[in-house]
Amino acid sequence: MDWRSINFDWNHARAFLVTAEEGSLSAAARALNTTQPTLGRQVTALEESLGVVLFERYGRGLTLTPAGLKLVEYVKNMSEAANQFSLAASGQTESVEGNVVISASEVTSAFILPELLEQLRTRYPGITLEIIATNETSDLRRREADIAIRAFRPQQPDLIARRLRDIAAGFYATPTFLQRLSSGNSAPDFHQATFLGFNHGDELIHLLNQLGIPVTQRNFPVICANHLVQWQMVKQHMGIGLMPLEVGDNDPDVQRAIPDLEELSVDCWLVAHRELRHNRRIRVIFDFLAQQLSDSDRMG
């Protein structure tokens, strides 16, 4: 290989790739935790070193030129190789120190992880933690997180997963709200009840119908994807919401809205990249979380 023929900076190539993926310099700058002018200079420097125009600029947005479309595929391969290099290199250390990024749902992050992570920090004070509380799926292969707690088993061959104990869940509401649904001593009329949804899909409708609760879209006048915000809505008497039993049964402000309903069961998986599994600090935290989150008393 003639190394003298390679005359561009990898950082410039990375700036080009992230800008292409994000669609604008401002979004790419946020993704790389840098400034827009710095990123713009890096992209311009790459264009000058290669002698091609990579983007057409339309207002605040960017569109790849034909040359950019061709070259971005090569840079993606370079990025994947760099990522694999980073993963392999990080696996060489045996130290239980350094930063670990854990991705989990909003509810898990807020109600389940804090106690566990306090134990973890006491046991391994050299560990620093970053928690990504999101209901979206973090991409472990792109290093958006080191470890993830998910409600489904990953299918990618370069990820490893350990099945945790299933999470039991149920529907909750405040006593005040349930009293409004009752007429005298009669049972609550769930046909007329307000349920809180996460999106505009029909998943919860189908689930409730299968459980013998005849609801339609009219029973879901309030939608909120943020589970923590939705839980506060439940506690403000706005409707019936879904929550793990570990959280709902321990909250004195609510009660099971449909106590005779069979408990719902949600899968729970602990996931890490296969290469990172050979990193001591990741392995230690992975095993710790696997043990703690497989505890039947803890998972509800």
Side-chain angles (χ1 to χ4, degrees):
M1 176 180 291
D2 183 5
W3 294 103
R4 293 170 297 179
S5 65
I6 302 176
N7 59 358
F8 66 87
D9 188 314
W10 160 244
N11 288 323
H12 298 169
R14 184 182 66 162
F16 161 55
L17 175 61
V18 177
T19 301
E21 292 179 337
E22 298 293 335
S24 71
L25 288 171
S26 58
R30 289 192 296 271
L32 290 174
N33 194 28
T34 187
T35 65
Q36 183 173 336
T38 297
L39 199 69
R41 287 193 294 271
Q42 290 177 333
V43 173
T44 298
L46 181 64
E47 290 179 321
E48 292 175 351
S49 67
L50 297 177
V52 297
V53 176
L54 299 172
F55 294 104
E56 296 288 351
R57 291 159 175 81
Y58 295 98
R60 296 184 178 181
L62 298 173
T63 301
L64 286 167
T65 63
L69 282 169
K70 180 178 179 180
L71 292 177
V72 76
E73 295 304 319
Y74 293 105
V75 180
K76 286 180 180 178
N77 292 334
M78 292 168 57
S79 175
E80 180 62 26
N83 184 48
Q84 293 299 321
F85 174 82
S86 177
L87 289 169
S90 66
Q92 301 304 312
T93 178
E94 289 297 307
S95 173
V96 189
E97 297 179 347
N99 190 60
V100 177
V101 182
I102 301 174
S103 173
S105 72
E106 294 157 353
V107 166
T108 298
S109 299
F111 296 109
I112 297 175
L113 283 183
E115 178 185 354
L116 301 183
L117 298 183
E118 175 60 24
Q119 297 176 33
L120 186 65
R121 289 278 297 120
T122 300
R123 188 177 302 182
Y124 304 106
I127 291 290
T128 59
L129 299 169
E130 179 181 347
I131 308 304
I132 301 177
T134 177
N135 293 333
E136 302 296 327
T137 301
S138 297
D139 191 338
L140 301 187
R141 294 181 300 171
R142 293 185 60 183
R143 299 297 297 277
E144 292 179 354
D146 299 316
I147 296 173
I149 302 171
R150 295 178 174 174
F152 62 92
R153 182 174 186 172
Q155 300 300 317
Q156 298 92 331
D158 51 351
L159 299 182
I160 61 171
R162 185 176 298 182
R163 177 81 180 260
L164 306 174
R165 187 173 296 275
D166 294 349
I167 298 176
F171 290 94
Y172 292 87
T174 62
T176 299
F177 179 85
L178 294 173
Q179 288 172 7
R180 295 173 185 168
L181 297 179
S182 303
S183 176
N185 295 322
S186 65
D189 181 9
F190 294 111
H191 182 267
Q192 301 295 328
T194 294
F195 286 82
L196 303 180
F198 295 99
N199 52 51
H200 292 283
D202 295 333
E203 294 87 353
L204 275 180
I205 294 175
H206 293 324
L207 173 63
L208 286 164
N209 290 165
Q210 292 172 359
L211 295 172
I213 309 296
V215 296
T216 67
Q217 283 286 359
R218 290 193 301 272
N219 295 94
F220 290 83
V222 179
I223 301 295
C224 182
N226 186 302
H227 205 163
L228 299 182
V229 173
Q230 186 184 120
W231 188 236
Q232 290 303 313
M233 293 178 176
V234 170
K235 295 170 71 172
Q236 291 298 320
H237 325 297
M238 288 182 61
I240 299 172
L242 187 65
M243 183 60 67
L245 301 188
E246 178 183 0
V247 178
D249 285 354
N250 289 309
D251 193 319
D253 295 331
V254 300
Q255 65 185 61
R256 295 197 193 188
I258 318 172
D260 296 332
L261 191 69
E262 181 181 351
E263 293 179 358
L264 307 175
S265 181
V266 180
D267 287 353
C268 191
W269 294 85
L270 191 65
V271 187
H273 194 283
R274 188 175 299 277
E275 290 288 344
L276 284 176
R277 191 67 173 88
H278 300 294
N279 178 298
R280 178 167 169 74
R281 73 174 183 275
I282 303 298
R283 184 170 68 249
V284 164
I285 295 178
F286 187 96
D287 291 341
F288 173 85
L289 291 175
Q291 179 182 9
Q292 296 295 321
L293 294 175
S294 295
D295 186 329
S296 58
D297 292 334
R298 185 177 301 278
M299 295 304 290

